[in-house]
């Protein structure tokens, strides 16, 4: 499991006084104000959010030490992380941090390992589990399934696995063996 958890991403500047758009990934967006220190992906740069307010599809944040648009522009697309120890433990077995899913085995309902979780995406219509298939199940490098109870009925973080319902497992049609007649002309 990751020792640091991604909690927000800094977007483009907002105005000319150093504020930035902030995309918060915590269940309670206001909690990001309580995490100190926030760090970049390297863990070396530290950030503190001084103020946060809601906007249409994001938040607007003032970050300590950032007072003009030029400084805010330099932070565009910086991911903000917090130590796992600073976060509350999951409430129950159906609650987990997205970072805990990365690297889990993906199994079909028969128990065969079919891949490895590489990401959890949200393109606006809900979470999507992205996984890299073992052996070429398709020509795609990764496959995606809705991250719902119907599609992913089992999430077992301690057991390091997720199970995908058979209806959502993409299988590659069997290819003819060398020399096998395919019925073509």
């Amino acid at each position: 499991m990751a020792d640091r958890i991604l909690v927000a991403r800094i977007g483009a500047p907002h105005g000319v006084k150093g504020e930035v758009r902030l995309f918060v990934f915590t269940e309670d967006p206001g909690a990001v104000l309580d995490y100190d220190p926030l760090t970049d992906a390297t863990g070396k740069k530290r950030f503190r959010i001084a103020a946060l307010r809601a906007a249409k599809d994001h938040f607007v944040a003032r970050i300590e030490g950032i007072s003009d648009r030029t400084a805010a522009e330099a932070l565009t697309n910086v991911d903000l992380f917090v130590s796992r120890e600073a976060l509350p433990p999951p409430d129950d077995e159906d609650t987990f941090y997205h970072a805990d899913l990365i690297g889990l085995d993906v199994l079909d309902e028969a128990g065969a390992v079919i891949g490895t979780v590489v990401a959890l995406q949200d393109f606006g219509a809900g979470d999507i589990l992205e996984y890299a298939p073992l052996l070429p199940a398709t020509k795609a490098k990764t496959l995606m399934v809705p991250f719902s109870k119907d599609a992913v009925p089992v999430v077992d973080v301690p057991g390091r696995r997720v199970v995908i319902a058979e209806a959502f497992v993409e299988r590659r049609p069997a290819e003819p063996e060398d020399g096998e007649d395919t019925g073509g002309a």
Side-chain angles (χ1 to χ4, degrees):
M1 288 194 265
D3 62 338
R4 293 185 318 128
I5 304 294
L6 175 66
V7 294
R9 177 170 295 127
I10 298 173
H14 179 85
V16 296
K17 295 183 179 178
E19 291 182 316
V20 295
R21 290 173 175 87
L22 190 69
F23 300 91
V24 180
F25 308 131
T26 59
E27 188 173 27
D28 171 15
V32 77
L33 290 167
D34 299 330
Y35 302 137
D36 189 27
L38 293 167
T39 62
D40 67 355
T42 68
K44 295 178 181 172
K45 281 188 142 181
R46 294 174 175 251
F47 301 90
R48 185 169 181 286
I49 298 172
L52 184 72
R53 69 179 188 277
K56 185 176 179 182
D57 60 351
H58 59 276
F59 291 84
V60 175
R62 188 167 31 87
I63 297 175
E64 281 187 7
I66 305 299
S67 59
D68 62 41
R69 185 174 183 88
T70 302
E73 285 173 346
L75 298 178
T76 301
N77 293 324
V78 169
D79 287 336
L80 300 177
F81 294 82
V82 68
S83 166
R84 175 182 290 277
E85 297 161 359
L87 297 172
D91 293 334
D92 56 48
E93 64 184 34
D94 289 331
T95 305
F96 39 81
Y97 292 109
H98 290 183
D100 294 340
L101 300 177
I102 309 304
L104 296 186
D105 287 336
V106 177
L107 285 66
D108 63 15
E109 289 181 306
V113 177
I114 60 172
T116 304
V117 176
V118 295
L120 200 64
Q121 308 285 358
D122 185 351
F123 301 112
D127 289 335
I128 297 173
L129 184 81
E130 181 176 5
Y131 70 97
L134 293 181
L135 306 174
T138 71
K139 293 183 181 188
K141 292 186 182 195
T142 62
L143 298 170
M144 296 185 184
V145 297
F147 191 54
S148 66
K149 276 285 191 190
D150 289 338
V152 186
V154 176
V155 176
D156 180 6
V157 174
R160 307 283 306 144
R161 68 188 182 101
V162 298
V163 175
I164 295 180
E166 192 61 37
F168 294 90
V169 174
E170 189 169 335
R171 307 249 187 228
R172 185 179 191 162
E175 292 186 15
E177 305 230 357
D178 287 340
E180 186 178 322
D181 184 9
T182 61

